[in-house]
Amino acid sequence: RAWMAEHPGAGDWLRTLAPAARFILQGGAAARAAAGEAFGVPLPESACRANSVEGRAALWLGPDEQLLLGPAADTQILAAGLEAALSGIAHSLVDVSHRQIALQVSGPHASAILSTGCPLDLDLVEFPVGMCTRTLLGKADIVLWRTGAREFHLEVWRSFTGYVSALLLEAAQDFVTPAQ
């Protein structure tokens, strides 16, 4: 959050989201079904889609890979529940909670701001609400999830936060006025 204090021009369109529990789950259909039941969110079966229920989300990152997000306070409880449910099922479950942070880009220019550094077509028709994917923002790997018509959730590796925020602030100069 220190970078927000250093970049007061971010205003309301760019926010750091609360810390979260983050797990990368890799496994086949049996692992996805067991994990979804234990996590309380059905894991998406469609490519590049996310499901969310009451503060928890499951994002499809690949045919056998999911990013699970939940409240930071529940990290150990979630880990224990997932490990118990996945016992005896081939899988990999890695806690990546401290590896990355979440940013939210929102407002009428969110798509345009992100498009300055992202090669994807972020038009609402092409990248609808609920869609998610790994992609690049400038030279940084991110997970991009559209959570609303004018709202995006970005998962950014902690070490790239300064770079990503500076890129977004530079891009936003054409679209938003500095915060007062």
Side-chain angles (χ1 to χ4, degrees):
R1 295 180 190 232
W3 69 267
M4 288 297 282
E6 297 169 12
H7 298 92
D12 292 336
W13 65 271
L14 177 62
R15 297 187 316 121
T16 302
L17 297 176
R22 294 175 176 88
F23 300 93
I24 295 290
L25 171 69
Q26 294 179 324
R32 289 191 306 274
E37 182 73 25
F39 192 61
V41 177
L43 276 56
E45 294 293 330
S46 298
C48 301
R49 294 295 184 254
N51 291 334
S52 60
V53 176
E54 297 176 9
R56 295 181 183 179
L59 285 69
W60 188 99
L61 297 182
D64 292 327
E65 185 174 8
Q66 308 275 328
L67 172 61
L68 307 178
L69 303 171
D74 295 346
T75 302
Q76 292 189 4
I77 294 167
L78 291 171
L82 287 164
E83 284 295 351
L86 293 164
S87 179
I89 300 172
H91 75 283
S92 171
L93 181 69
V94 179
D95 182 346
V96 295
S97 300
H98 298 291
R99 177 180 76 185
Q100 55 206 52
I101 66 161
L103 300 175
Q104 181 183 60
V105 177
S106 60
H109 304 292
S111 294
I113 291 167
L114 288 166
S115 290
T116 62
C118 180
L120 300 175
D121 183 349
L122 298 178
D123 182 83
L124 189 56
V125 172
E126 298 301 321
F127 200 93
V129 174
M131 189 167 188
C132 62
T133 191
R134 277 191 176 118
T135 189
L136 292 174
L137 187 66
K139 295 181 181 181
D141 291 323
I142 64 167
V143 173
L144 182 63
W145 172 25
R146 184 176 219 135
T147 55
R150 299 176 357 167
E151 184 174 287
F152 294 86
H153 176 117
L154 286 71
E155 288 286 322
V156 180
W157 282 33
R158 191 171 298 280
S159 59
F160 293 115
T161 305
Y163 168 79
V164 167
S165 61
L167 181 83
L168 292 170
L169 288 165
E170 179 73 24
Q173 288 182 5
D174 291 336
F175 303 103
V176 296
T177 56
Q180 302 296 327

